[in-house]
Amino acid sequence: MARGDRAAFEELYRRTSPWMAVRLRRRCSDEQIVAEVMQETYLAVWRAAGAFAGSAVGGTAVGWLWMIAARRLVDAFRRRAHHAEPPAAAAARTVVPAAEEEVLAADVGGDADALRRLAPELGEVLQATVLDGLSVRETAVLLGLPEGTVKTRARRARIAMRKALA
């Protein structure tokens, strides 16, 4: 295959594609993504066949193939999350306080301003995750932030609220 032998590539595909499809389907139920990952994987294998070090580094062709497929699947999940539309409920915000906000303000006792004193970037994450009930991924898509940033800001918001209410 490294020398451009199509018959060798076809044999590799014939032997490994059923197994590959099953492994990918165990990790992703979307057939379109599975088909896309399969195509990208075998294209990458064809292009990089000469780079496979093989048994010289203790690897196998099947292991190398799966490593490429797993990385392509992660990339597909990232693309999907990046291009996802914000949930409709989160996109339609009103200026009238939600019932949850009123209840939360009542629960924090005499210091209802604690929510308003949060830094805006912390407040919007707290609003999305706690009051709107969005997941970290949904919040990340809605606010256009990486998921790790959403998690960090949510933690910082909770710490700030704890201090303000202590």
Side-chain angles (χ1 to χ4, degrees):
M1 222 172 68
R3 291 185 297 267
D5 184 352
R6 287 183 78 69
F9 176 76
E10 289 170 3
E11 183 64 18
L12 175 74
Y13 183 82
R14 186 186 65 74
R15 288 185 184 190
T16 60
S17 63
W19 163 85
M20 179 70 65
V22 168
R23 285 194 76 171
L24 289 170
R25 284 186 191 111
R26 285 184 187 155
R27 288 157 180 80
C28 178
S29 61
D30 188 331
E31 283 297 319
Q32 183 178 358
I33 289 178
V34 169
E36 177 183 311
V37 168
M38 292 272 296
Q39 182 177 5
E40 289 177 6
T41 298
Y42 284 101
L43 180 60
V45 166
W46 174 253
R47 289 179 176 164
F52 175 61
S55 59
V57 293
T60 65
V62 173
W64 180 64
L65 184 68
W66 175 245
M67 180 186 70
I68 293 170
R71 288 180 180 165
R72 295 294 189 267
L73 185 60
V74 168
D75 290 345
F77 286 149
R78 286 180 180 154
R79 279 192 305 272
R80 178 197 286 177
H82 180 70
H83 296 298
E85 292 293 321
R93 293 187 182 221
T94 62
V95 293
V96 177
E100 294 92 346
E101 290 173 311
E102 292 174 4
V103 170
L104 184 60
D107 283 349
V108 296
D111 200 359
D113 288 332
L115 287 172
R116 288 186 277 285
R117 285 192 305 240
L118 279 177
E121 67 273 7
L122 301 181
E124 67 185 1
V125 168
L126 190 67
Q127 168 75 35
T129 58
V130 176
L131 300 177
D132 295 341
L134 299 178
S135 70
V136 170
R137 174 169 281 162
E138 291 167 333
T139 301
V141 170
L142 175 69
L143 300 176
L145 299 169
E147 289 181 39
T149 302
V150 170
K151 291 176 185 178
T152 300
R153 289 182 181 177
R155 183 174 182 277
R156 288 176 50 209
R158 287 188 196 100
I159 290 169
M161 286 296 293
R162 223 176 277 127
K163 286 179 181 176
L165 299 174

